[in-house]
Amino acid sequence: MPALVIAAHGSHLNPDSSTPTFEHADTIRETGAFDAVREAFWKEEPHFREVLRTLDSDEVFVVPLFVSEGYFTEEVIPRELRLEEWGPELWDSDGTSATHATCTASDTGQTVHYCGPVGTHRAMSDVIVRRAESVTDDPDVGAGFGLAVVGHGTERNENSAKAIEYHADRIRERDRFDEVRALFMDEDPEVDDVTDFFESDDIVVVPLFIADGYHTQEDIPEDMGLTEDYRTGWETPAEVDGKRIWYSGAVGTEPLLADVILERAADAGADVEDALEMVRKRTGGAALIEQ
Amino acid sequence: MDTSPYEALAEAAADGVEFDGLVATREGGQLLVETPEETLTAPVETPRSALAEVGEYVENWFFWHQVAPQAESRWAFLRWLERAGGHAVPERYDALEDGLSRSWGQLRVTATLDDDQRRYDLRHEADADRAAADLQRSDDPRDARDITKLDADGEYRPLKTAPTLRSGWVFPDLDATDLVAAVDFFYPATIENWHREREGDLDISHWHETMARQTGIYGVVETWDRQEGHDHVEWVAEACCDDSQCLKRREWDYDAETPLETDGGSGVFPCREPCSIVVSAARQWTKQEGKQALTYEFELTPTEKEQLEAVVDAVAEGRIDDIRPADVRNEANQLRIRFLRAKLFDDDGNLGGVQTSDE
């Protein structure tokens, strides 16, 4: 039976960075769909460099728990896994359309199905909507609400913004929320001015980040004016410029993300139909079946 | 396991079995079994009662071939735990009755027999003599992830092999599969790398090649390697790879031809390349080591100079918290250092009132 590696960034400083990775891994472990499920990290252990040798399977699915196609997913992870045949052209992607590429790891001889990041999978749109439902505690949230999908953004890599815009566009097309916008920390349009971009009085803000940490728990809440000092916390919703901001925290902590990881593996050929059903039941992912 | 060890042996004997002193073959409807002590014959269909005398050999064969994880590295680790190489089966089974213990970093693993099944007790080595009932019990290997996350003071441990594993917990009754899973959560990939080293095929990625591989914000470290010599790498190893900082035994050097003089440590499992913390720190050092040395002039009494040295030493050795608040004889005592600051620093924090003047 093949194994699954969930490849995440991890942190030298933040003990909670790895928490969503472990939680999603546990959800998938419990389905028994893989011989082994192992978390691997850039900043923690097991490192990308050594994770494959801890797995017995000849065939391994690797799903990057990253938001966009870019430096980590196209360069760092394949290099550290020693996928020597790898080149980003194998994904043949427009920046958000990578599915997978199959390579051999020179370290172990294992066949590695290297998947696109979770952040650009179409099912991630549903996780964002789910996040909006949970933060407002309203399964039908939409009418009268604006939705801001927030990304890091970086001038150095256009794919970083593409992933955010991709989901904002998809959710907008569903006509569920009155308005949907893609906003960024490090490029225009900036999340600092969130209220300028919406007519609606209620705005749900969902950051497309994998883990809660400095950006989602300190930077963004302060930049949006939810609080003067992140240490004192903020209200949900918080009143800013006469509008109510419903700030959800990192989308990656949503249990439904386990489903997206499995979808990535399924797109790469993993036999996970039963597991998908189990995980959907557990995480309430029935909405995904409409895909 | 549904199949009994005896039936399983009878089946495997068709191809011949030779393991840990047990030899089993088949001839007609008979199972022929030899051990150093006994030679027995049993009917293939119902072998159990005739083989009672060599039960330990049969159970032992069964465990290693049908119960223990079969991946070479994990299998070798479990054999090492009970010193299988040097002890014959009856002797080993006697010892297992009392428990056979080994250290693995700060872990202590004790293998025992319970109803002829191997069970493993896993705990912190500092808790070796404590009753399991006095420790916090876990049965799921995944609990190891929470135990390793913070040290006894609540500080985050990004480096799993830092010698700061907290104590006070026990996995008292793991089977072989769960034991190796737990060890892998405590010290990821150590079993595999230890095994590769024992087999003589540990792949070492030395400093120079590891830094040359870095890109992005870490690419700058390459520039640290342009000059002659490798003193800087000796300093890195002395700072980061000492047993006081990491329990892995450093096996990487500057490059394959240039060994480092700094001691690699005494850990049981090897370190095969600079880790992510070393790479991150090296990036910082690359930036600071790029600056030219300047001459500063200010006056210190001999005691004040020694105090500065004592502070550096106390921070480097992690001893700051051990210095008692009123122990004013200690050169790094907080009151004495506050006095030093009051006397020698100007309002902008400059030592001796001398500006740092970054070039």
Side-chain angles (χ1 to χ4, degrees):
Chain A
M1 212 175 3
L4 173 70
V5 168
I6 303 176
H9 191 281
S11 170
H12 287 161
L13 302 174
N14 174 7
D16 301 322
S17 171
S18 57
T19 306
T21 313
F22 286 129
E23 286 177 355
H24 303 316
D26 285 348
T27 303
I28 296 171
R29 264 188 194 103
E30 282 156 21
T31 68
F34 294 94
D35 180 59
V37 177
R38 194 65 172 106
E39 312 82 348
F41 302 96
W42 171 234
K43 294 281 195 175
E44 298 178 37
E45 297 155 282
H47 195 270
F48 300 149
R49 191 94 169 137
E50 296 189 331
V51 67
L52 291 176
R53 59 182 63 185
T54 70
L55 300 166
D56 299 340
S57 308
D58 295 330
E59 190 179 12
V60 183
F61 291 85
V62 176
V63 177
L65 203 56
F66 282 78
V67 165
S68 56
E69 295 172 25
Y71 175 61
F72 280 102
T73 55
E74 292 183 348
E75 185 174 329
V76 173
I77 299 173
R79 178 187 79 210
E80 300 292 295
L81 291 174
R82 293 177 247 193
L83 307 181
E84 279 161 26
E85 307 142 329
W86 166 259
E89 68 283 355
L90 294 183
W91 267 351
D92 188 23
S93 172
D94 63 10
T96 58
S97 64
T99 60
H100 69 286
T102 299
C103 303
T104 304
S106 65
D107 180 30
T108 57
Q110 287 156 310
T111 299
V112 172
H113 304 289
Y114 183 53
C115 301
V118 290
T120 56
H121 194 277
R122 63 189 182 283
M124 199 67 183
S125 303
D126 300 272
V127 185
I128 295 167
V129 172
R130 169 62 56 80
R131 204 79 190 135
E133 293 168 2
S134 20
V135 72
T136 55
D137 197 21
D138 176 1
D140 301 315
V141 64
F145 276 73
L147 172 68
V149 184
V150 180
H152 191 291
T154 162
E155 306 290 343
R156 285 177 302 177
N157 180 357
E158 57 176 356
N159 286 348
S160 173
K162 274 189 194 170
I164 313 300
E165 282 155 0
Y166 170 74
H167 294 296
D169 290 346
R170 279 172 51 85
I171 297 169
R172 190 179 303 115
E173 283 162 16
R174 296 178 187 182
D175 279 334
R176 172 168 175 165
F177 293 88
D178 287 1
E179 309 162 86
V180 181
R181 300 265 182 277
L183 302 179
F184 303 95
M185 285 182 58
D186 282 0
E187 59 182 87
D188 289 330
E190 287 199 5
V191 69
D192 306 29
D193 311 317
V194 58
T195 52
D196 294 352
F197 299 108
F198 288 88
E199 304 281 320
S200 317
D201 288 336
D202 285 283
I203 307 164
V204 180
V205 178
V206 180
L208 192 58
F209 283 71
I210 296 300
D212 274 321
Y214 173 68
H215 291 313
T216 64
Q217 295 300 307
E218 301 179 26
D219 255 8
I220 297 177
E222 287 184 6
D223 288 352
M224 288 195 299
L226 301 187
T227 175
E228 291 280 305
D229 181 344
Y230 74 92
R231 285 167 294 193
T232 60
W234 55 87
E235 299 286 315
T236 306
E239 186 99 5
V240 177
D241 299 335
K243 296 181 190 289
R244 282 182 297 277
I245 308 279
W246 305 73
Y247 179 62
S248 74
V251 73
T253 60
E254 182 67 36
L256 188 53
L257 192 69
D259 189 289
V260 183
I261 297 170
L262 276 176
E263 294 257 7
R264 273 289 182 217
D267 292 349
D271 178 13
V272 293
E273 276 309 305
D274 294 346
L276 271 168
E277 205 168 307
M278 287 165 73
V279 167
R280 282 171 182 163
K281 265 188 201 150
R282 181 169 157 174
T283 61
L288 295 182
I289 296 162
E290 82 192 34
Q291 293 298 314
Chain B
M1 200 73 47
D2 293 323
T3 321
S4 94
Y6 298 88
E7 286 156 3
L9 179 69
E11 196 182 324
D15 299 324
V17 164
E18 198 170 340
F19 181 70
D20 276 359
L22 173 75
V23 179
T25 51
R26 265 161 66 160
E27 210 174 285
Q30 294 294 301
L31 174 63
L32 312 177
V33 174
E34 270 182 60
T35 70
E37 297 86 13
E38 305 280 348
T39 302
L40 301 168
T41 308
V44 165
E45 297 303 320
T46 52
R48 188 181 185 114
S49 55
L51 298 181
E53 290 291 308
V54 295
E56 286 177 350
Y57 282 94
V58 179
E59 298 281 356
N60 181 66
W61 169 83
F62 184 73
F63 173 76
W64 290 110
H65 293 84
Q66 311 251 341
V67 179
Q70 297 296 294
E72 270 184 45
S73 54
R74 273 150 265 171
W75 198 80
F77 172 72
L78 292 164
R79 299 275 289 172
W80 174 83
L81 282 181
E82 62 178 61
R83 299 167 174 81
H87 297 81
V89 170
E91 189 188 340
R92 203 176 341 136
Y93 268 58
D94 276 350
L96 282 168
E97 290 291 341
D98 299 330
L100 277 168
S101 296
R102 286 272 204 185
S103 289
W104 188 257
Q106 288 182 288
L107 299 176
R108 181 177 183 276
V109 187
T110 304
T112 52
L113 285 176
D114 179 18
D115 199 18
D116 292 331
Q117 299 295 312
R118 279 168 179 75
R119 306 300 296 181
Y120 299 88
D121 174 293
L122 175 66
R123 58 177 72 192
H124 195 288
E125 59 180 355
D127 293 327
D129 298 325
R130 292 182 66 184
D134 295 339
L135 301 167
Q136 188 189 339
R137 177 182 178 130
S138 284
D139 293 298
D140 185 337
R142 289 178 290 181
D143 292 345
R145 296 182 309 209
D146 295 322
I147 297 170
T148 59
K149 190 168 264 189
L150 305 177
D151 67 17
D153 297 326
E155 290 291 337
Y156 175 45
R157 302 173 68 246
L159 181 65
K160 293 279 195 299
T161 46
T164 53
L165 185 64
R166 67 181 169 87
S167 57
W169 47 269
V170 64
F171 295 80
D173 189 31
L174 295 172
D175 65 17
T177 301
D178 280 352
L179 172 75
V180 292
V183 170
D184 193 54
F185 280 129
F186 279 109
Y187 296 137
T190 53
I191 292 175
E192 285 72 23
N193 289 332
W194 165 87
H195 179 64
R196 283 181 180 225
E197 184 179 46
R198 275 167 49 115
E199 297 294 302
D201 61 3
L202 182 68
D203 54 324
I204 293 166
S205 175
H206 294 286
W207 167 275
H208 185 71
E209 62 197 89
T210 303
M211 297 308 152
R213 197 176 80 225
Q214 304 303 319
T215 54
I217 61 170
Y218 302 106
V220 67
V221 183
E222 264 190 283
T223 63
W224 208 13
D225 268 349
R226 280 190 189 146
Q227 291 160 353
E228 292 289 306
H230 55 274
D231 281 350
H232 59 300
V233 188
E234 298 279 5
W235 301 329
V236 170
E238 189 177 327
C240 302
C241 309
D242 187 78
D243 282 346
S244 69
Q245 305 303 306
C246 179
L247 298 171
K248 283 183 184 168
R249 170 173 30 83
R250 181 180 53 75
E251 288 297 315
W252 53 266
D253 287 302
Y254 177 72
D255 60 27
E257 284 76 43
T258 319
L260 299 180
E261 283 175 20
T262 307
D263 184 53
S266 57
V268 61
F269 33 77
C271 173
R272 42 169 296 285
E273 66 180 40
C275 68
S276 73
I277 292 181
V278 166
V279 173
S280 285
R283 171 178 177 248
Q284 192 62 37
W285 286 317
T286 300
K287 291 194 281 185
Q288 76 181 46
E289 288 296 295
K291 302 202 171 181
Q292 292 296 315
L294 300 174
T295 302
Y296 296 103
E297 214 172 315
F298 42 74
E299 293 192 333
L300 300 172
T301 68
T303 307
E304 287 164 352
K305 175 171 175 290
E306 283 170 2
Q307 274 193 272
L308 294 179
E309 291 159 355
V311 168
V312 170
D313 205 47
V315 171
E317 295 300 325
R319 280 192 283 100
I320 287 289
D321 291 340
D322 301 336
I323 301 170
R324 289 169 292 173
D327 183 7
V328 291
R329 288 174 306 174
N330 190 310
E331 290 169 320
N333 168 268
Q334 191 180 9
L335 293 178
R336 286 187 63 185
I337 297 302
R338 288 179 65 84
F339 179 90
L340 195 72
R341 184 177 66 173
K343 178 182 169 189
L344 295 181
F345 286 33
D346 68 13
D347 291 344
D348 297 324
N350 289 307
L351 174 60
V354 179
Q355 289 234 329
T356 304
S357 71
D358 212 344
E359 73 275 19

